[in-house]
Amino acid sequence: MTASAVGLLTGFFGVGGGFVVVPALTLVLGLEMPVAIGTSLLVILLNSLTALGTRAGTGALDWPVLAGFAACAAVGSHLGNRLTTRLRPHTLTTAFACLVTVLALSMAVTALPRLWSP
């Protein structure tokens, strides 16, 4: 049931599964926030490697852009890891919930006017 809800929300809103998977892992399975985040990131890594593997032979990859994203992800991962050792899991959960709420509101503000315009 939870996996179906995660898939529906991910597909309907078009956001990465991490925004839905992490709360599901913490609420439904009772995982601590750092474990849920790590699990979500592992799944994202496997999906990314699979996509890269399927596209690598086509020659349609922009390697400088990919390298930039990879560098930013590595720096963000390192900084995030250092931050999680200094904050309580409850603080991380609250911050993540606030981030998801702000993201949802900003997407709604952007998308709703387009729905009503001809």
Side-chain angles (χ1 to χ4, degrees):
M1 175 67 174
T2 303
S4 297
V6 167
L8 177 70
L9 290 171
T10 301
F12 183 74
F13 292 111
V15 296
F19 284 101
V20 184
V21 171
V22 171
L25 290 172
T26 57
L27 295 173
V28 176
L29 296 180
L31 297 179
E32 293 290 327
M33 182 61 76
V35 175
I37 291 170
T39 302
S40 176
L41 289 175
L42 178 63
V43 171
I44 291 168
L45 173 68
L46 294 174
N47 285 336
S48 299
L49 289 175
T50 302
L52 179 63
T54 59
R55 291 187 52 113
T58 66
L61 296 174
D62 188 352
W63 289 105
V65 171
L66 288 174
F69 273 109
C72 289
V75 169
S77 178
H78 176 69
L79 294 175
N81 187 36
R82 292 186 62 182
L83 188 62
T84 59
T85 61
R86 292 184 169 91
L87 296 175
R88 296 186 348 247
H90 179 20
T91 305
L92 290 173
T93 304
T94 304
F96 186 76
C98 291
L99 174 67
V100 170
T101 302
V102 168
L103 178 66
L105 290 173
S106 66
M107 289 176 64
V109 165
T110 303
L112 288 176
R114 293 181 190 163
L115 291 174
W116 290 308
S117 64

